[in-house]
Amino acid sequence: MADRRNQLVARVRELLADALGASRNRSAAAQTAVATARERAVRVRRAALGVPQRVGAERDRRLAEIDAQHTSRLAALARQAAEAATREAPGAGSAPWTQWRRSPAGRGEPPGATRIGTVLLPEAEPVPALVALLDGGHVALDGDAEGCAAVVSALLLRSLGRAAPGDVRVVGYDPDHLGGGLAGFAPLGTAGLLTFVGPGGLGRLLDDLVEQIRRINETVLAGEHATLRELAAATGRRPEPWRVAVLLGGEELSRHERGQLDRVVRAGAACGVHLIVRGVPLPEDPTVTRVRVTGAEARIGTLPVRLDPPPPATLVTETCRQIATVVSAGPAPTPFTDLLPAPEQMWQEDSATGLTAPIGEGPHGRPVLVTLGDYPPHALIGGPSGTGKTNLIFAWIGALAARYSPAELEFYLLDFKEGVSFARFAQGRRDPSWLPHMRLVGINVNTDREFGLALLRFLAEELRRRADAAKKHEVTKLAELRAVDPTGHWPRIVAVVDEFQMLLAGRDAVAREAADLLEDLARRGRSQGIHLVLASQDVRGIEALWGRPALVAQFTLRIALPKALRILAESNDAAQSLPKFHAVVNAESGLPDGNEVARIPSASDWETWSELQHRLWRMRPAEAAPARLFDGDAIPRLADAPDFRALTAPEVGTPRNPVALLGEIIDVQARSAALRLPRAPGRNLAVLGTRVDEACAVLDAAARSLARQHRPGTARFSIACLDQDADPATRALYEDLDDAAWYDEESVAELLAETADGLGAPGSSSAPHYLLLFAVDAAAGALAARTGRATGAAHLRRILHDGPERRTHVLAWWRGVARMRADLGGPTARVDQIGAWVALDTHGGELGSLYPGTGPDWYPRPWRGLFFDRAVHRTGQTIIPYGPSR
């Protein structure tokens, strides 16, 4: 029992020992785990203490990185914004005042926005703060008065600087300061670019702005474009100026004024009408930019802005003076090429019903067309010297010549003033080209009114020819004639006479006949396609024109240049306010309702015209010939005369009626004055006057032309020089003639005696004999020296009387009518033996005995003569002696 207890005790003790060992092991393990946990807890606590520091450092790093990215992005955006602002507001639109100068936008280019300051951006490149004004909208200012005044000055000056001079017109309404707020811009007023509206005038101002908007929408935009900016971009030109109304305070608006102001805000920007207001509430509209000013800063909407300082007063004043000076001088002309069709469209128009071409550009950018046809048939152009009359004629001629071929249009041009500007239409030494349409160019004809009369006679003959053709075909108008006679040559004719009053000046026969011809051509020419264009500096004193109301009434097309008088109707003073390079075109006889203002291009300088003329010249028909050029200051040459070149000697015998050419007739065809010398009484020539060179020239041309009609040895030429001053010319003639004999004071009596005695004597030669006596009156003593037989004077009279029927003709120069009559037998002697004469410096009153009636209307002038052949002429014929042959 005890053993069992002992065994049980031992067993319990063993179990307890195992349990105690296990407990001790577990306790040790627990203590180890606790130690480990405590160590881990320490580490955790230590790590936890370092987390905020690391997180803060990482946060700071990321924030710094974000700040750097933001700053870089902001700087890039600021640079892009600044570049965009510079593009939107180039040059004068944004330049600082220290570097500011005018930089007008190009044709059709928008003016851009306007800078008023810089946007407040921290730590970034300054960005200009811009507002849209011209073609953009309106600006409403509020706040500090001084700051608002600076903004107004900046907006106006920059707008003026970005536009061409005259393209911005300012209206000021400043009832509080009576215009003082815009005092620096006052110089613009001298050119009409700045006007002020006084207190109480706001309603009228708004009414005018609304009317301008209505007019522009109806007549300028006309539904083709939405805005003037679009029109300018499409056409390359701006037809209307910008109108900027500056409204600086005032009383409360009336209901009508409020309504008009709303209309301007809604529709003004599209039509170039803009508002800058302070103290006047504007309605909400996308076109309105609101600027709230506080001292030197402002807000555009919510955008903070630092305002630029106001422009220096001297800069404002000087800029406005420069603009006013340019505008007062007048706008530059438009390019001549604007009047011309494209090269492939030249000469494509038909002139059957009329001639239509642009003469310039109208106020709305559209061409102003001018027509010559059944109505209006003729044109009257007027303008003082220097206003561009010649340039206008060039522009009109060029526009017509580019559209109508020479088969459709011919020009006859006559310029009575001194100058050679029209000579370029004819072939010249420097430029061989000519205008293919030009048939006649007369220049420097201020002393040759006969040439103008010759042109009118030529046109009258052409009118008769066309009228006869129309009658033959039973039609009345040119268009009908061309339809029934398509193979005929029936171009329209435009005759331009510049300074035409010279032709009608005075009360002589030339003026009377010219006025009669003008009236007939003006009345009947319209139906036959003959159109007159008369130009003058001033027509107040032209009695021959204004005394004929029926003549003036035919010139229904009137073109008045600046300051022109009596071109338009008496009640029409539109020309008095025209700027330079402009003209009033009126096809209603000058009545005010017919006015159109045209801006005339520059067309008269050599380079501008030369390009067109050379192009048309290269297009000319193969049979085209140069225009006839008559230069009143030039002396024609016998060798160049067509009539002289046509003279030939017959193969056998002598010409039946030899012709002596004396000079060039002042006419359209450049014919020669010809004296026929048949075997008939009186076929002698007297040259009368004291001008040695001219007298020698007449006889020289006569001798050379006669010699050209005789084969060598078939005619005799006797040259007697009795004046030493004539010796060089007569010697040259003697040396050039093969069948000539020379005589002087010592031998001239023998010549006359021999010739007189041989007239009709048996066995005398039947060959023509021409006595060329130079200053025959100088040898009175020599002619009377022979005694015992008839005196020398009697011999001369016998030769004059009997010689022509025996082919002996006297061509003599007397230095006065009285001297000639003395040689012919005295004051009462008959002068029938002098069948023809050329008067040089001999007045018409001295020629009464040689001329039918009371004597010719002849006033001598250098290198001109009056030729009269009683067998041919009813009136004298003005001629130009041919120049020396050597």
Side-chain angles (χ1 to χ4, degrees), residues 647 657-663 665 672-678 681-687 698-699 702 705-706 709 770 809-812 834-838 867-873 877 879:
L647 295 176
N657 293 314
V659 176
L661 305 184
L662 309 177
I665 302 173
S672 298
L675 171 64
R676 294 197 173 275
L677 298 177
R683 294 291 82 195
N684 302 299
L685 174 70
V687 180
V698 173
L699 293 182
S705 57
L706 288 169
Q709 301 167 69
Y770 304 105
H809 306 276
V810 175
L811 295 87
I834 302 296
W837 47 263
V838 175
F867 171 47
F868 181 75
D869 184 345
R870 69 183 184 189
V872 178
H873 298 148
Q877 196 173 57
I879 67 171

Side-chain angles (χ1 to χ4, degrees), residues 470-538:
K471 186 182 301 183
K472 175 183 176 182
H473 290 282
E474 298 181 346
V475 295
T476 59
K477 296 182 178 180
L478 181 69
E480 299 170 348
L481 176 61
R482 290 177 56 161
V484 299
D485 184 20
T487 60
H489 180 64
W490 307 113
R492 287 193 178 267
I493 291 175
V494 176
V496 182
V497 184
D498 196 7
E499 301 303 335
F500 72 96
Q501 73 277 5
M502 298 291 295
L503 180 59
L504 302 176
R507 298 178 180 272
D508 57 6
V510 172
R512 290 191 295 271
E513 184 179 357
D516 290 339
L517 289 171
L518 271 177
E519 185 167 352
D520 184 57
L521 286 167
R523 181 170 48 85
R524 298 195 298 134
R526 70 168 72 203
S527 60
Q528 303 304 332
I530 297 177
H531 308 284
L532 302 174
V533 177
L534 305 184
S536 175
Q537 293 184 12
D538 191 352

Side-chain angles (χ1 to χ4, degrees), residues 111 182 215 377 461 591 651 726:
L182 300 175
R215 178 186 61 80
E461 179 60 26
L591 296 176
E651 293 294 331

